[in-house]
Amino acid sequence: NRAPLPEVAAPMPQRILAFTEDLKAVVPPATRAERKIARLVEEVYRVLVAVVDRESELGKRPPPKLRISVDKKAMSRASYTLDKKDASESITYFIGEDGRVAQAPFLLAHELGHAVAQHSLGLMGARIRWMKATRVLGVWHMDRPVEDRELSEGNPFLAVYLSLQRRLHEFEADHIGGVIFSRAGFHPVAYVRSLAWLGMQAEPNGPLLFRSHPTSVRRMQYMVYCRDQVASAYNHSTKAQELWKRLADSDIDTVVKFPIS
């Protein structure tokens, strides 16, 4: 049962790749516990990637490369990135101070949603559209690649524009990621419960207009809106059940209780 993924906007031109962000340095797992988490994360990623069609849904691109890094200064998380040096895509899973791994299917499926939608390319397109508009007005000129924070420094209008773009991308990544999550055999209810966990652990701070992510409550409400498509994609999978149990058992105190069937 391979339910279709939600439609996404047309990919941006390849020239936009000149404005992608640098990849952060990877701190490889060093301890026995970290290496165990890394192996589980790699297994989860293989299960998720297996249900994404490279021909039609990734536009014949190879799946993003999985990178695993340790960051004890923050919670466990994941990020999707384009490398401006060689235009390669990657998803980095950060093993955080909490050492939790039960949310890995949710985190990785969400980032795969960003990859399918080519959201990094979309953000680059937003920057370029702004650059062209300001150049015509004679307000601002650019002769080199810049980062988001540098581009929007002293310009609250651009900061708000980029923030709105990112938040729209998060909703779309949840929709696509939810379908991938269900296709792989992970129960769709667990995706929403993981959003609740995310809200408890790291609710975004700061003025609403400048937030890069919607609140977890808004994201859960959106998942209710697209629940039919996500639920119809669910495939009962013994392999996913077994993997889920291993993920939960690896956590000392699992915050999110995952349904099995």
Side-chain angles (χ1 to χ4, degrees):
N1 174 29
R2 179 165 284 183
L5 294 180
E7 293 184 4
V8 298
M12 292 290 167
Q14 291 299 304
R15 60 188 172 82
I16 295 171
L17 289 172
F19 299 94
T20 54
E21 298 177 357
D22 286 312
L23 290 174
K24 296 179 180 177
V26 170
V27 180
T31 68
R32 183 176 179 180
E34 290 168 355
R35 288 193 291 269
K36 179 182 177 182
I37 290 174
R39 288 193 295 270
L40 284 169
V41 170
E42 289 169 352
E43 192 170 346
V44 169
Y45 190 66
R46 285 194 294 269
V47 169
L48 293 169
V49 166
V51 300
V52 179
D53 188 86
R54 179 175 172 180
E55 184 76 18
S56 62
E57 294 167 354
L58 280 172
K60 300 183 180 180
R61 297 167 7 243
K65 179 181 178 181
L66 177 64
R67 296 147 44 93
I68 299 177
S69 184
V70 178
D71 182 4
K72 294 300 185 179
K73 296 181 180 179
M75 60 182 285
S76 298
R77 63 196 189 281
S79 66
Y80 163 64
T81 319
L82 276 163
D83 187 356
K84 72 179 182 182
K85 294 179 181 178
D86 58 6
S88 62
E89 297 173 281
S90 65
I91 291 175
T92 305
Y93 185 91
F94 294 92
I95 301 174
E97 61 177 352
D98 51 10
R100 297 192 183 281
V101 72
Q103 282 72 34
F106 155 72
L107 294 171
L108 294 173
H110 177 82
E111 299 307 323
L112 273 173
H114 282 303
V116 169
Q118 298 188 42
H119 280 155
S120 285
L121 290 177
L123 269 182
M124 301 312 122
R127 297 182 205 177
I128 285 182
R129 287 193 294 274
W130 180 271
M131 292 170 197
K132 286 183 175 178
T134 53
R135 187 171 297 164
V136 168
L137 296 173
V139 176
W140 184 73
H141 296 271
M142 187 200 69
D143 56 5
R144 60 186 177 83
V146 292
E147 301 292 342
D148 272 356
R149 57 183 176 274
E150 183 182 354
L151 184 61
S152 58
E153 186 176 357
N155 193 331
F157 298 105
L158 179 56
V160 170
Y161 178 59
L162 291 175
S163 176
L164 290 172
Q165 287 277 329
R166 289 196 198 93
R167 281 168 20 215
L168 289 173
H169 287 174
E170 293 304 321
F171 286 127
E172 190 171 38
D174 276 333
H175 193 174
I176 298 171
V179 172
I180 294 172
F181 187 90
S182 296
R183 272 187 191 174
F186 299 108
H187 200 287
V189 172
Y191 194 97
V192 179
R193 291 183 181 178
S194 294
L195 281 170
W197 162 81
L198 187 65
M200 290 187 291
Q201 299 298 312
E203 198 60 62
N205 298 313
L208 178 61
L209 285 176
F210 293 91
R211 289 178 182 172
S212 62
H213 286 59
T215 63
S216 295
V217 171
R218 290 293 186 192
R219 291 171 67 180
M220 285 189 285
Q221 289 172 340
Y222 183 78
M223 291 304 293
V224 171
Y225 168 76
C226 55
R227 65 185 181 276
D228 291 343
Q229 188 172 7
V230 173
S232 65
Y234 176 59
N235 280 323
H236 182 80
S237 168
T238 302
K239 182 177 181 179
Q241 288 183 13
E242 293 173 352
L243 184 53
W244 231 337
K245 187 176 186 304
R246 288 165 56 201
L247 291 169
D249 290 346
S250 70
D251 280 354
I252 297 173
D253 179 23
T254 304
V255 176
V256 180
K257 302 299 181 183
F258 294 99
I260 296 299
S261 60

